[in-house]
Amino acid sequence: MQKINYTRQFVSSLHCARVHYLCNVKLKNLKLALLSAIIKLRNNYDYSVLKRNQFYKVLNSLKQYNYFIMKLLSTICLLAVCSAGFAQPRYDMKNIMMEKLNRGVVATKSNGKVAVSWRLLSEDGKNAAFDVYRNGKKLNSKALKKGGTFFVDEQPVSGDATYEVRGGSCNGSFCLKANAQEGFISIPLQKPADLTMPDGRVCTYSANDCSVADVDGDGEYEIILKWDPSNAHDNSHAGYTGNVYFDCLKLDGTRLWRIDMGKNIRAGAHYTQFMAYDFDGDGKAELMMKTADGTIDGKGNVIGDGSKDWRCHEQNNRLGRIMDGPEYLTVFNGLTGEAMQTVDYIPGRGPLTSWGDDHGNRSERYLAGVGYFDGKKASAFFCRGYYTRTVIAAWDWDGKNLTSRWVFDTNNPEWASYAGQGNHNLRVADVDGDGCDEITYGSMAIDHDGRGLYNTGFGHGDALHLMAFYPNSDKLQVWDCHENRRDGSDFRDAATGKVIFQIPGNFDVGRCMAADIDPTNEGLEMWSTNSGGVRNVKGELIRPTEYEEPTMDENKRRGMSTNFGIWWDGDLLRELLDHETVQKYDWKTGRVNVIKRFDGRFNNGTKSNPCLSGDILGDWREEVLVRDAQSTMLKLYTTDIPTDHRITCLMQDVPYRLSIATENVAYNQPPEPGFYLGVGMKK
């Protein structure tokens, strides 16, 4: 946008308004003239580059105007700035440093056919034309310009086949082996050996949470896999835990490196949050996470003092807990696994009681995430605490050095009221329209500069969802649930914390979910364990809580799944992902039907999460990454259902990409975009 031209247009309109005023035109006409100028500016101006002081420069240049006009103009200008400031999100996509993805072609066998899909990239344009080739032979008679980026090969060959997609900003290919399994990509694993604890007990290993990042800069994602021991504990339980391991895998199963976190890092959902992202903007991702004495990097180098054992060996409620010893933050090379720099973790434990207990439970509650706090380059942030004291420390990596960007601490008297407000997870997005990310940390939010943005005071909870809930609004909203046996669940404005509606509850509301599941109702729907059923954006009950659950005993009834959402079957409604199934809500009957079962295992007990779900390959629909029962392989399932909807790769939407990066954090939550995706969305 050419802001000078638009500014001139605006000033010209103001001069016209002044003339009208001096000619004794009625006040309402003056207002209309000024509002017309504002509207003209708003309709044409790129507000991502607009600064508030630009308006005041205009005002200062117009001091010859009547005082009344100045006052009126100031009011209208401020309203225009405020209105523009709430158009979320407002990232400068030309300058923001994000990974450059390739075409992302994927081909899977499906009932004697082959389903082929590929990414629509932001560089392509919505009307890009594509052609599909198999072993050099063109398969489509006409260029594919409309409909989804999806093609079915009706007569595949029996041997190996290379599927190539040509068109748009780049070409891409995928080799489908003759012995490939139906419906998924098989990724072989190398399971760690069993490990004996100091008390003689033996733990085994299973594949757990995953993330994806491009570590070699070729435009294809690699998988970062966490291996969890069988004795992993929630931090509320004592006992030894085995070492945690991390592998980096190519999609063909090639292992690039393994990191051993060592005996001084406890295993469990709350201890090791791993951020895989390109932090220095060189096109290749790094890995950042909390480490300790004895962590061994991908090159075999030991961090700290490898001889130290900081575990508690007393037979009491502290057994196996780690409540002493140094704590580090390490950035690893994504391609090699080598530790590039290690610094002290912020904050240190200090007195355990300052976090809520004396036995290393609440002091060892960690979260982490990624955000564009300057609107250009990704920063990592690492957290400690949410039940009482909360500290969030943001870090920048320039390829050589880790530097502290800011630290938010509820021990600071200015932010004392923000204590105790964190959830078991978090969300990151530009909620206030300034082009920089904010952190929604449970019942509170932190601005991009490390200052408090708002605090509802509703306290701790398990889950929250941050998206655009309305089809015709650019604002983002939050659906959150709480454990304090008072505040239940709330639906609020993500920028201000203003509550739109709330459903109080006198019990622990452990889970909540939001998705567009009903096309007859405008916007997303939401529900929680105390919502009384499915609610619309007005808070109205549109479906009672209970329905007949087809996956359970016919005599049992349960409420709607509050686990994961997934776009799978090709329409704009979101399906439910829970306990190795994709479920479709039938808005006509209120029933939920299973439309896909995965041959594999979900993780984390009753929380039942896949290793990862998200738009990893192919078109905008989401893949599901699961482990087999023995953890000898990962299975990357991709949908074989055609779609008519052509949507840009979700990984190029900043909030969605950031939610993939944080999907592994504590109580895993589904990825969510920063725009409305559902029935009635803007195309």
Side-chain angles (χ1 to χ4, degrees):
M1 297 289 181
Q2 299 178 31
K3 61 183 179 181
I4 295 177
N5 291 341
Y6 293 127
T7 302
R8 287 175 178 173
Q9 293 175 16
F10 180 57
V11 174
S12 178
S13 297
L14 294 181
H15 278 286
C16 290
R18 177 176 180 266
V19 171
H20 283 302
Y21 178 79
L22 295 177
C23 293
N24 297 315
V25 174
K26 292 182 179 179
L27 176 61
K28 65 177 183 180
N29 291 337
L30 172 63
K31 288 182 178 179
L32 287 174
L34 292 173
L35 286 170
S36 177
I38 294 293
I39 292 169
K40 188 173 186 179
L41 182 67
R42 287 184 62 192
N43 288 342
N44 293 284
Y45 205 103
D46 181 2
Y47 281 90
S48 67
V49 299
L50 182 63
K51 305 295 184 184
R52 183 175 298 207
N53 63 6
Q54 288 177 309
F55 274 115
Y56 284 104
K57 287 180 180 179
V58 174
L59 294 179
N60 291 331
S61 69
L62 301 174
K63 289 181 178 180
Q64 72 271 26
Y65 283 18
N66 182 281
Y67 175 80
F68 175 76
I69 292 181
M70 289 293 296
K71 294 292 288 186
L72 180 60
L73 181 59
S74 297
T75 302
I76 296 175
C77 286
L78 287 174
L79 288 173
V81 172
C82 292
S83 177
F86 289 104
Q88 296 97 355
R90 301 290 298 184
Y91 301 105
D92 181 0
M93 298 307 298
K94 292 183 179 179
N95 293 309
I96 197 167
M97 296 181 184
M98 295 184 69
E99 62 213 350
K100 184 174 178 58
L101 298 176
N102 65 13
R103 185 57 63 197
V105 179
V106 61
T108 55
K109 295 181 179 180
S110 174
N111 297 316
K113 304 175 183 178
V114 172
V116 184
S117 68
W118 58 97
R119 295 176 180 134
L120 178 70
L121 301 171
S122 59
E123 310 90 275
D124 296 330
K126 290 287 182 75
N127 298 317
F130 298 100
D131 294 306
V132 180
Y133 294 78
R134 182 195 62 229
N135 295 338
K137 179 183 178 181
K138 186 177 177 181
L139 300 180
N140 55 301
S141 57
K142 296 182 180 180
L144 306 175
K145 295 181 179 181
K146 298 181 179 180
T149 52
F150 189 95
F151 183 84
V152 177
D153 184 2
E154 301 281 353
Q155 297 179 322
V157 298
S158 58
D160 294 352
T162 296
Y163 287 89
E164 185 181 7
V165 175
R166 302 176 187 175
S169 59
C170 64
N171 301 332
S173 63
F174 182 90
C175 183
L176 181 63
K177 297 294 185 180
N179 62 350
Q181 299 291 314
E182 185 149 324
F184 65 88
I185 299 172
S186 148
I187 305 168
L189 299 175
Q190 302 173 56
K191 185 181 348 185
D194 298 350
L195 198 63
T196 303
M197 300 294 100
D199 58 5
R201 299 182 179 182
V202 177
C203 69
T204 59
Y205 282 87
S206 61
N208 193 252
D209 292 337
C210 291
S211 192
V212 291
D214 182 7
V215 303
D216 55 11
D218 65 353
E220 179 181 275
Y221 286 126
E222 282 71 46
I223 297 170
I224 311 298
L225 164 66
K226 182 178 77 166
W227 288 97
D228 252 13
S230 55
N231 57 3
H233 290 301
D234 185 287
N235 288 36
S236 61
H237 302 282
Y240 292 111
T241 69
N243 294 16
V244 175
Y245 301 95
F246 284 90
D247 287 353
C248 181
L249 306 166
K250 301 286 288 184
L251 292 181
D252 64 1
T254 301
R255 194 179 78 184
L256 300 181
W257 46 259
R258 171 169 287 174
I259 294 172
D260 179 355
M261 300 303 291
K263 64 174 70 74
N264 294 312
I265 291 290
R266 190 169 173 81
H270 305 285
Y271 216 108
T272 299
Q273 326 298 342
F274 55 102
M275 296 296 108
Y277 211 86
D278 180 11
F279 293 108
D280 58 7
D282 67 351
K284 300 178 181 181
E286 294 79 37
L287 176 67
M288 292 179 65
M289 51 191 176
K290 184 175 181 290
T291 57
D293 283 342
T295 296
I296 303 173
D297 74 5
K299 292 287 190 178
N301 304 309
V302 178
I303 295 173
D305 187 345
S307 67
K308 296 293 187 180
D309 184 352
W310 296 103
R311 296 171 295 181
C312 179
H313 298 289
E314 299 176 7
Q315 296 294 323
N316 53 31
N317 70 339
R318 298 188 174 192
L319 180 67
R321 297 183 186 272
I322 302 163
M323 299 175 290
D324 202 357
E327 300 173 286
Y328 310 122
L329 177 67
T330 300
V331 55
F332 298 90
N333 185 295
L335 184 59
T336 67
E338 182 178 11
M340 293 187 289
Q341 190 179 13
T342 296
V343 297
D344 290 337
Y345 191 85
I346 298 176
R349 293 186 184 89
L352 296 183
T353 53
S354 68
W355 303 98
D357 59 51
D358 65 352
H359 54 274
N361 174 19
R362 294 189 170 186
S363 66
E364 310 305 302
R365 301 286 181 149
Y366 304 94
L367 301 176
V370 179
Y372 291 90
F373 298 132
D374 64 0
K376 295 181 180 181
K377 186 178 174 182
S379 301
F381 62 93
F382 290 84
C383 321
R384 190 180 214 129
Y386 36 76
Y387 290 115
T388 51
R389 181 188 178 192
T390 291
V391 182
I392 306 171
W395 296 89
D396 293 333
W397 170 252
D398 64 3
K400 295 181 179 180
N401 297 294
L402 273 172
T403 55
S404 174
R405 172 173 284 271
W406 49 256
V407 177
F408 173 91
D409 190 346
T410 58
N411 273 3
N412 181 335
E414 186 176 6
W415 313 121
S417 65
Y418 285 63
Q421 303 301 312
N423 278 19
H424 286 302
N425 51 77
L426 49 82
R427 296 286 181 178
V428 184
D430 172 23
V431 301
D432 60 7
D434 60 2
C436 303
D437 282 318
E438 285 75 43
I439 304 168
T440 300
Y441 198 88
S443 295
M444 67 178 184
I446 308 302
D447 210 345
H448 68 275
D449 58 2
R451 299 181 58 81
L453 184 65
Y454 72 78
N455 175 25
T456 66
F458 293 155
H460 168 71
D462 280 2
L464 67 88
H465 303 275
L466 188 154
M467 288 176 285
F469 280 65
Y470 301 88
N472 299 314
S473 174
D474 292 326
K475 293 185 179 181
L476 302 181
Q477 293 80 32
V478 174
W479 174 237
D480 193 7
C481 55
H482 315 287
E483 292 188 2
N484 60 14
R485 305 178 185 273
R486 181 191 69 210
D487 292 306
S489 46
D490 77 282
F491 181 53
R492 64 181 186 262
D493 185 285
T496 65
K498 182 181 179 181
V499 175
I500 300 168
F501 70 82
Q502 184 179 6
I503 305 170
N506 59 5
F507 60 92
D508 178 344
V509 183
R511 288 283 170 162
C512 60
M513 181 59 193
D516 186 18
I517 59 174
D518 186 346
T520 67
N521 203 60
E522 186 179 36
L524 303 191
E525 289 73 47
M526 64 202 90
W527 58 99
S528 70
T529 53
N530 87 312
S531 63
V534 180
R535 304 269 175 171
N536 62 20
V537 292
K538 299 178 183 178
E540 300 167 338
L541 184 65
I542 62 173
R543 179 66 63 176
T545 287
E546 293 185 334
Y547 66 93
E548 295 181 9
E549 170 57 76
T551 63
M552 300 180 68
D553 185 88
E554 61 181 3
N555 297 317
K556 294 183 179 180
R557 298 170 69 86
R558 62 175 290 192
M560 288 277 289
S561 165
T562 52
N563 197 359
F564 267 51
I566 183 172
W567 284 287
W568 182 264
D569 70 354
D571 63 25
L572 295 178
L573 298 174
R574 207 172 194 189
E575 287 70 58
L576 306 179
L577 181 63
D578 187 36
H579 289 88
E580 294 84 36
T581 65
V582 176
Q583 304 170 10
K584 186 76 172 182
Y585 176 76
D586 186 339
W587 67 90
K588 298 176 183 177
T589 65
R591 294 178 62 92
V592 172
N593 303 304
V594 174
I595 64 172
K596 176 68 178 180
R597 293 185 184 273
F598 300 110
D599 182 17
R601 296 289 187 271
F602 280 21
N603 294 315
N604 305 319
T606 59
K607 295 177 179 60
S608 185
N609 309 126
C611 296
L612 187 73
S613 72
D615 184 12
I616 303 169
L617 282 170
D619 63 26
W620 60 276
R621 274 87 59 79
E622 296 173 297
E623 284 68 54
V624 180
L625 189 63
V626 303
R627 60 180 174 89
D628 68 355
Q630 296 76 35
S631 287
T632 61
M633 74 167 67
L634 294 175
K635 298 180 177 181
L636 182 59
Y637 281 93
T638 184
T639 185
D640 60 356
I641 304 173
T643 182
D644 292 328
H645 298 285
R646 178 174 284 206
I647 298 174
T648 302
C649 173
L650 299 184
M651 287 295 225
Q652 292 188 305
D653 174 70
V654 178
Y656 187 92
R657 181 64 185 90
L658 298 179
S659 64
I660 288 288
T662 59
E663 190 175 320
N664 69 82
V665 171
Y667 292 178
N668 311 45
Q669 294 292 286
E672 293 166 345
F675 62 95
Y676 178 83
L677 204 171
V679 175
M681 69 178 293
K682 300 175 183 177
K683 299 287 184 77

